[in-house]
Structure formats: structure tokens, C-alpha cells
Amino acid sequence: MGSIKLNKVTKSFGSTQVIPPLDLEIQDGEFVVFVGPSGCGKSTLLRLIAGLEDVTSGMIEINGVDATQTPPSKRGLAMVFQSYALYPHMSVRKNIAFPLKMAKLAPEERDQKVENAASVLNLTDYLDRRPGQLSGGQRQRVAIGRAIVREPDAFLFDEPLSNLDAALRVNMRLEISELHQTLATTMIYVTHDQVEAMTMADKIVVLNAGHIAQVGSPLELYHKPANVFVAGFIGSPKMNLVTGPDAQAMDAHTIGVRPEHITISEGGGTWTGKVGVSEHLGSDTFLRVNVDGVGTLTVRASGEVALRHGDSVSLIPEEGKVHRFDADGLAMQ
Amino acid sequence: MARAISTRRQITVTILAWVIGITIFFPILWTILTSFKTEAEAIASPPSLFMFDWTLENYGEVQERSNYFRHFSNSVIISLGSTVLGLLIAIPAAWSMAFVPAKRTKDILMWMLSTKMLPPVGVLIPIYLIFRDTGLLDTRIGLVIVLTLVNLPIITWMLFTYFREIPGEILEAARMDGAMLWDEIVHVLTPMAIPGIASTLLLNVILAWNEAFWTLNLTAAKAAPLTAFIASYSSPEGLFYAKLSAASTMAIAPILILGWFSQKQLVRGLTFGAVK
């Protein structure tokens, strides 16, 4: 069991309200990712769920029980911190066993569980080392091991991969996803990296200035962004957002087209411009095209494209793939 | 070229460090040497540094005339007592300021430090009168109290800087792992803070051991520590350098030995927090 429900939760630091009234339901076994730019309140929200911060008002239910006033140690949640937060004076074995010791498990049972977790996480050879003698990825595994041994109702991850290098990050991302499939436990994962969010989540909660901008599956957010913020935040490279006459022509304040939904045409097109910087990835080419009166549009062309800096191109947005937004930034049907 | 400059600089710095070190240590060395001279040689001019008749008679005479061990035990009780009492008060104080800082925490820290700016003699009369009226004059407990108060700001500051270095996330992790406040303190915080607590303890034992103003002014005979023991050989006796030196050597020897063995811990304690 690991359902979590937030009911009109708010959080203020002094007179600054960082989380305005917020409702959210997380089902048992879901992998939920909180994503948003720095300072959007996603970590604060996670810490409220963990109990490391007190809510200013509202209610947090865990498994249908009001847990608003429950101390973190009694909420049955496990957390993996960005800094790993391992106990530097304890061996890996003792680090992983610590929650079990706190739960007053018998030493034999503790050892058994630690051995199991260590073998799952490839840490068996490192059990007698101190955290200081491990690499970043290994430390992260120890932190995860410490979280899984206590078999929590839900796991909370606070930007767990941001201290790792790019290659390791991709590996750990897969490992965490696999772990979720094996354990089928609720996981709440905070990140500012929308690629992590898109690849890992069952459900993404996009946060902007403490507000939930949109909740949905990765593809829902990609195909049907509810507002300009989500449209610009989800997807890489970013969606092209155009205001002005082109938007007005479509009865909208802003229109958005993803780089992959723009075709380069030899003849005429909706927009004509000059190629600026182009990025060649082999599988794709990203072209920045400077269009007069519109600005720079990013175009994703598959494979290699033989266009050079300064070449003139015409661009045609794909039919039915143009997103329209009103003056308040909300999506229009 | 760069290497030549750095070598030259290294030599200069090394020489300078030795000169400063020897200059600082010289009076202590001189005192120790003088304690092995006869009174006549101690005031001889020009003085001889090593070429004299080494004698232990001063030590014998000092021990005969006054009870070294009583002073020694007073010093031990007063310095350890005030340090332990100070730590008991300062640990929770530093703890709360480091981990649950309030709006005025910084001001409180500055205020505590500001009490060290007051010359002690400024409060001698009120404290003397309080001690006289409460019967604390010339008692070990009285000195333990006053030395605790004198050193408390330094103990608290040192511990505060230590505790602040412990990342809050580790304590939060312990909480998430099911630790209640007590477990958090016993299993996570204390083991992590032990080097800090140890160096604070050492430094304060040394400060309390050497403290001379209050120990001289608030004691007469019963509670007098080694500082009073040294002082008793200075003014009233006239120029008895050799015996005074012997008494000083006996008084500083224990703390010198303690300091020698714990220098690594002490240096770490004093520079902690200065460089991250």
C-alpha cells in the first residue's frame, strides 16, 4: 500500500507562500515525477510529504490515514537525497542496516536483508567500506539500498542523479526504473530534468511557482500541453512559441509547434528564413532558423541535412500539430 | 623560474617559522633551564645557557615548602570540572543554534562573544562580593562555576562551528530511516561530532588550567590551583628565580605533555571551519 493524497496543502516561509493551496492524488504503485524549473517548489512539496517540513495548512493522507502531524520516522516512507546523506562514520553494511536497527529487527534478520539488498545493487564487495571510499554511483546505490531494506510504502527521491556524470545518470535512471518494476512500490521522484521525467514517469506533475501546471502521463503532456508553460517545458528541444500576426491568423495569442513537427520545404512555406546554427547529432539535425518578424525557430530534421549557415529555407508546420494558446497562456481546443 | 621562486619562498618561510617558533618557546625553555640552576647561577650575568651545574635541589625545596599535589589536584578538578560542566551546557546550546537557527541566532552568538571583550577586572568586585556572601570564596566549586562562565562563549562557538559542518540532510536521512530524536543524537550526531567535542574539551582544559586572574583572586589556600602555586613564589619571596622557575615548570609540565600528545587534535579544532 502506498497511496498519498494532498488536500489543500500550503506552505509558507515567513510571509512568502511557496506552495499555494495544492491538491494531488498519487495511487499505489505509481511512479510520479515532480518536475519544474529551480525554485518551483518541487523539493519543498516532497519534503512536506516526507514530513521534513511542516505544512502551513491543509492535510496529507498516507494510505487513507491523516499523516499531517505524523513525524517523518513514523510515516513509513523512505527517502533518497541528492547528496546521498550517507552516515560517514558507518560502513556500507551499517548504513544499509541502520533503518532496520531503528525498526529493532533481530541482527540475523538485519544481516539477511542487507545481504539481499547488496546483491540486488551490486554492493556485496563494498559492504565493509566507508562511504568516503566509494564513487558517486556506488554511494547513490548505498542510499537506494538503505531505502529499499525497510520496505517502505513509498520511496521519495530528491534529485538523486544530479550529482552523477551524464553516462552514469542514464544507467542509474534505468536501474531505478527497473527497481520500480520489481518492487511495484509507489515512487515520487523530483527532478528539474524533463528527460528524466519523460523517461521514468507513469505520471508527471509539472510545477510552476508552487502551482501544479499540469498532471498527466508523459505523452499526454507532450501531445496536449494544457498551457504555454508546460508546452515550453516538456520536450527537447523546446517547442517553438510564436506570437503576433501568425498566431492571430489562427485566432490565438500564441501558437506552438514542436521542432519535429516542422518540415523543411524547397519551395514556398509558412515561414521563410535563414539557417543559423545547426547541431548535427547523426540521427537528427537541429537547425536554428532565423525568420524575420517571428524570431528563431528550431527545426528537427531526421538524419543529416546538407544545409549551411546562411542558406535560405522555407518551413511548413505539420497540419494538426499546431498548439494554440489564449492570452492567459491556456490551451485552446 | 617559477620553481626557483617557490623554493626560495619555501626556505624563507621555513626559516621564519623556526625563528617565530623559537622566539615563542624561548621563555619557556629559559624557565625550564633556570629551574635546574642554583639561585646564584640563575641571576649570574652574563647568564649561561647550558654550561652550569645541573641541580634538582630547587624541585626538592619547592615540594618541601608547599604541597604541589594539592595544587595539582585542585587544578585538575577545576579545569576538568569547568570543561565538563561547560560542555553539558554548550552542547545543547550549540546544537539548537546550528540545526534550528532562529532569527536572532547570529545576534546571540555575537553577544556571547562580546562578553569576552569585557576586561575581567571590570566585574571582579561584584563577583568577589557574590562569592563572599554565598560562601564560594576559596572553594573548588566556586572556581568551577566562574571558569565555566568565562569559557562558555568559546566552548559554544567552537561546538557551533563544528555542528554547522554536519550536513542537515544526514540528520534528515536518519529521521526518514525511523530514528527518533534520541537515536539521531546517539547514533548519528554524536559519533560525527566526536572530533569536535574532543578538541573543544582539550582546548578548554588548557584554558582553564592556565587561567590566572580568577584563580588568584578568588582563592586563598584550600582551593588554590597551580597558578596560585607559581604566584606564591614570585612577589613575596623576592628574587628567587630558580625556585620560581622550578614551580612554573612543575605547573606547566602536565598541560605541556597533554598539549604535545593532542596537538594534532588541537590544531584541527582551532582551524576547523576556517577552510572548507
Side-chain angles (χ1 to χ4, degrees), chain A residues 33-50:
Chain A
V33 175
F34 293 170
V35 70
S38 324
C40 71
K42 54 192 189 297
S43 284
T44 307
L45 195 57
L46 192 76
R47 292 169 61 81
L48 290 173
I49 296 172

PDB file of all heavy atoms in Angstrom, chain A residues 33-50:
ATOM      1  N   VAL A  33       6.573  11.745 -11.108  1.00  0.00           N
ATOM      2  CA  VAL A  33       7.716  12.651 -11.152  1.00  0.00           C
ATOM      3  C   VAL A  33       7.232  14.084 -10.987  1.00  0.00           C
ATOM      4  O   VAL A  33       6.301  14.508 -11.670  1.00  0.00           O
ATOM      5  CB  VAL A  33       8.499  12.495 -12.478  1.00  0.00           C
ATOM      6  CG1 VAL A  33       9.604  13.530 -12.568  1.00  0.00           C
ATOM      7  CG2 VAL A  33       9.079  11.094 -12.599  1.00  0.00           C
ATOM      8  N   PHE A  34       7.839  14.781 -10.037  1.00  0.00           N
ATOM      9  CA  PHE A  34       7.600  16.226  -9.897  1.00  0.00           C
ATOM     10  C   PHE A  34       8.683  16.920 -10.701  1.00  0.00           C
ATOM     11  O   PHE A  34       9.860  16.732 -10.423  1.00  0.00           O
ATOM     12  CB  PHE A  34       7.730  16.691  -8.440  1.00  0.00           C
ATOM     13  CG  PHE A  34       6.679  16.172  -7.503  1.00  0.00           C
ATOM     14  CD1 PHE A  34       6.811  16.365  -6.129  1.00  0.00           C
ATOM     15  CD2 PHE A  34       5.555  15.504  -7.965  1.00  0.00           C
ATOM     16  CE1 PHE A  34       5.850  15.897  -5.247  1.00  0.00           C
ATOM     17  CE2 PHE A  34       4.587  15.037  -7.088  1.00  0.00           C
ATOM     18  CZ  PHE A  34       4.745  15.227  -5.728  1.00  0.00           C
ATOM     19  N   VAL A  35       8.281  17.698 -11.671  1.00  0.00           N
ATOM     20  CA  VAL A  35       9.287  18.364 -12.484  1.00  0.00           C
ATOM     21  C   VAL A  35       8.942  19.844 -12.595  1.00  0.00           C
ATOM     22  O   VAL A  35       7.777  20.233 -12.506  1.00  0.00           O
ATOM     23  CB  VAL A  35       9.387  17.675 -13.876  1.00  0.00           C
ATOM     24  CG1 VAL A  35       8.160  17.923 -14.718  1.00  0.00           C
ATOM     25  CG2 VAL A  35      10.635  18.090 -14.617  1.00  0.00           C
ATOM     26  N   GLY A  36       9.959  20.637 -12.750  1.00  0.00           N
ATOM     27  CA  GLY A  36       9.742  22.078 -12.867  1.00  0.00           C
ATOM     28  C   GLY A  36      11.084  22.770 -12.763  1.00  0.00           C
ATOM     29  O   GLY A  36      12.074  22.141 -12.414  1.00  0.00           O
ATOM     30  N   PRO A  37      11.134  24.055 -13.100  1.00  0.00           N
ATOM     31  CA  PRO A  37      12.405  24.778 -13.001  1.00  0.00           C
ATOM     32  C   PRO A  37      12.830  24.954 -11.550  1.00  0.00           C
ATOM     33  O   PRO A  37      12.038  24.706 -10.634  1.00  0.00           O
ATOM     34  CB  PRO A  37      12.086  26.128 -13.654  1.00  0.00           C
ATOM     35  CG  PRO A  37      10.612  26.278 -13.530  1.00  0.00           C
ATOM     36  CD  PRO A  37      10.026  24.905 -13.522  1.00  0.00           C
ATOM     37  N   SER A  38      14.082  25.374 -11.318  1.00  0.00           N
ATOM     38  CA  SER A  38      14.558  25.580  -9.947  1.00  0.00           C
ATOM     39  C   SER A  38      13.651  26.573  -9.244  1.00  0.00           C
ATOM     40  O   SER A  38      13.222  27.545  -9.850  1.00  0.00           O
ATOM     41  CB  SER A  38      15.973  26.145  -9.912  1.00  0.00           C
ATOM     42  OG  SER A  38      16.730  25.613 -10.927  1.00  0.00           O
ATOM     43  N   GLY A  39      13.398  26.313  -7.985  1.00  0.00           N
ATOM     44  CA  GLY A  39      12.610  27.238  -7.187  1.00  0.00           C
ATOM     45  C   GLY A  39      11.118  27.130  -7.424  1.00  0.00           C
ATOM     46  O   GLY A  39      10.357  27.985  -6.988  1.00  0.00           O
ATOM     47  N   CYS A  40      10.658  26.063  -8.108  1.00  0.00           N
ATOM     48  CA  CYS A  40       9.223  25.950  -8.371  1.00  0.00           C
ATOM     49  C   CYS A  40       8.490  25.289  -7.211  1.00  0.00           C
ATOM     50  O   CYS A  40       7.280  25.169  -7.231  1.00  0.00           O
ATOM     51  CB  CYS A  40       8.972  25.179  -9.653  1.00  0.00           C
ATOM     52  SG  CYS A  40       9.347  23.436  -9.505  1.00  0.00           S
ATOM     53  N   GLY A  41       9.228  24.833  -6.207  1.00  0.00           N
ATOM     54  CA  GLY A  41       8.589  24.251  -5.030  1.00  0.00           C
ATOM     55  C   GLY A  41       8.504  22.736  -5.045  1.00  0.00           C
ATOM     56  O   GLY A  41       7.882  22.143  -4.171  1.00  0.00           O
ATOM     57  N   LYS A  42       9.150  22.100  -6.026  1.00  0.00           N
ATOM     58  CA  LYS A  42       9.006  20.641  -6.123  1.00  0.00           C
ATOM     59  C   LYS A  42       9.685  19.922  -4.962  1.00  0.00           C
ATOM     60  O   LYS A  42       9.126  18.968  -4.406  1.00  0.00           O
ATOM     61  CB  LYS A  42       9.517  20.123  -7.471  1.00  0.00           C
ATOM     62  CG  LYS A  42      10.931  20.545  -7.817  1.00  0.00           C
ATOM     63  CD  LYS A  42      11.244  20.238  -9.275  1.00  0.00           C
ATOM     64  CE  LYS A  42      12.707  20.448  -9.591  1.00  0.00           C
ATOM     65  NZ  LYS A  42      13.205  21.824  -9.443  1.00  0.00           N
ATOM     66  N   SER A  43      10.881  20.390  -4.575  1.00  0.00           N
ATOM     67  CA  SER A  43      11.555  19.756  -3.435  1.00  0.00           C
ATOM     68  C   SER A  43      10.799  20.019  -2.138  1.00  0.00           C
ATOM     69  O   SER A  43      10.694  19.147  -1.280  1.00  0.00           O
ATOM     70  CB  SER A  43      12.991  20.263  -3.304  1.00  0.00           C
ATOM     71  OG  SER A  43      13.795  19.651  -4.280  1.00  0.00           O
ATOM     72  N   THR A  44      10.281  21.235  -2.007  1.00  0.00           N
ATOM     73  CA  THR A  44       9.500  21.574  -0.820  1.00  0.00           C
ATOM     74  C   THR A  44       8.294  20.649  -0.706  1.00  0.00           C
ATOM     75  O   THR A  44       7.989  20.137   0.376  1.00  0.00           O
ATOM     76  CB  THR A  44       9.032  23.042  -0.890  1.00  0.00           C
ATOM     77  OG1 THR A  44      10.165  23.852  -1.129  1.00  0.00           O
ATOM     78  CG2 THR A  44       8.345  23.472   0.386  1.00  0.00           C
ATOM     79  N   LEU A  45       7.652  20.401  -1.842  1.00  0.00           N
ATOM     80  CA  LEU A  45       6.480  19.529  -1.844  1.00  0.00           C
ATOM     81  C   LEU A  45       6.865  18.123  -1.384  1.00  0.00           C
ATOM     82  O   LEU A  45       6.164  17.493  -0.573  1.00  0.00           O
ATOM     83  CB  LEU A  45       5.902  19.498  -3.265  1.00  0.00           C
ATOM     84  CG  LEU A  45       4.503  18.940  -3.422  1.00  0.00           C
ATOM     85  CD1 LEU A  45       3.530  19.709  -2.540  1.00  0.00           C
ATOM     86  CD2 LEU A  45       4.059  19.026  -4.882  1.00  0.00           C
ATOM     87  N   LEU A  46       8.010  17.649  -1.865  1.00  0.00           N
ATOM     88  CA  LEU A  46       8.477  16.318  -1.467  1.00  0.00           C
ATOM     89  C   LEU A  46       8.775  16.276   0.035  1.00  0.00           C
ATOM     90  O   LEU A  46       8.449  15.314   0.729  1.00  0.00           O
ATOM     91  CB  LEU A  46       9.735  15.952  -2.264  1.00  0.00           C
ATOM     92  CG  LEU A  46      10.155  14.485  -2.171  1.00  0.00           C
ATOM     93  CD1 LEU A  46       9.236  13.637  -3.047  1.00  0.00           C
ATOM     94  CD2 LEU A  46      11.600  14.278  -2.600  1.00  0.00           C
ATOM     95  N   ARG A  47       9.388  17.354   0.528  1.00  0.00           N
ATOM     96  CA  ARG A  47       9.735  17.410   1.948  1.00  0.00           C
ATOM     97  C   ARG A  47       8.484  17.513   2.823  1.00  0.00           C
ATOM     98  O   ARG A  47       8.483  17.054   3.962  1.00  0.00           O
ATOM     99  CB  ARG A  47      10.690  18.583   2.207  1.00  0.00           C
ATOM    100  CG  ARG A  47      12.066  18.363   1.582  1.00  0.00           C
ATOM    101  CD  ARG A  47      12.904  19.616   1.616  1.00  0.00           C
ATOM    102  NE  ARG A  47      13.130  20.058   2.984  1.00  0.00           N
ATOM    103  CZ  ARG A  47      14.045  19.540   3.777  1.00  0.00           C
ATOM    104  NH1 ARG A  47      14.831  18.587   3.344  1.00  0.00           N
ATOM    105  NH2 ARG A  47      14.184  19.979   5.014  1.00  0.00           N
ATOM    106  N   LEU A  48       7.438  18.114   2.268  1.00  0.00           N
ATOM    107  CA  LEU A  48       6.169  18.154   3.004  1.00  0.00           C
ATOM    108  C   LEU A  48       5.597  16.740   3.119  1.00  0.00           C
ATOM    109  O   LEU A  48       5.123  16.329   4.179  1.00  0.00           O
ATOM    110  CB  LEU A  48       5.159  19.061   2.300  1.00  0.00           C
ATOM    111  CG  LEU A  48       5.432  20.559   2.324  1.00  0.00           C
ATOM    112  CD1 LEU A  48       4.424  21.282   1.442  1.00  0.00           C
ATOM    113  CD2 LEU A  48       5.357  21.104   3.743  1.00  0.00           C
ATOM    114  N   ILE A  49       5.677  15.997   2.012  1.00  0.00           N
ATOM    115  CA  ILE A  49       5.172  14.621   2.032  1.00  0.00           C
ATOM    116  C   ILE A  49       6.015  13.786   3.001  1.00  0.00           C
ATOM    117  O   ILE A  49       5.492  12.984   3.772  1.00  0.00           O
ATOM    118  CB  ILE A  49       5.190  14.009   0.609  1.00  0.00           C
ATOM    119  CG1 ILE A  49       4.221  14.771  -0.301  1.00  0.00           C
ATOM    120  CG2 ILE A  49       4.842  12.528   0.648  1.00  0.00           C
ATOM    121  CD1 ILE A  49       4.284  14.383  -1.765  1.00  0.00           C
ATOM    122  N   ALA A  50       7.346  14.021   2.999  1.00  0.00           N
ATOM    123  CA  ALA A  50       8.242  13.265   3.881  1.00  0.00           C
ATOM    124  C   ALA A  50       8.014  13.624   5.346  1.00  0.00           C
ATOM    125  O   ALA A  50       8.293  12.828   6.237  1.00  0.00           O
ATOM    126  CB  ALA A  50       9.688  13.543   3.497  1.00  0.00           C
TER     127      ALA A  50
END
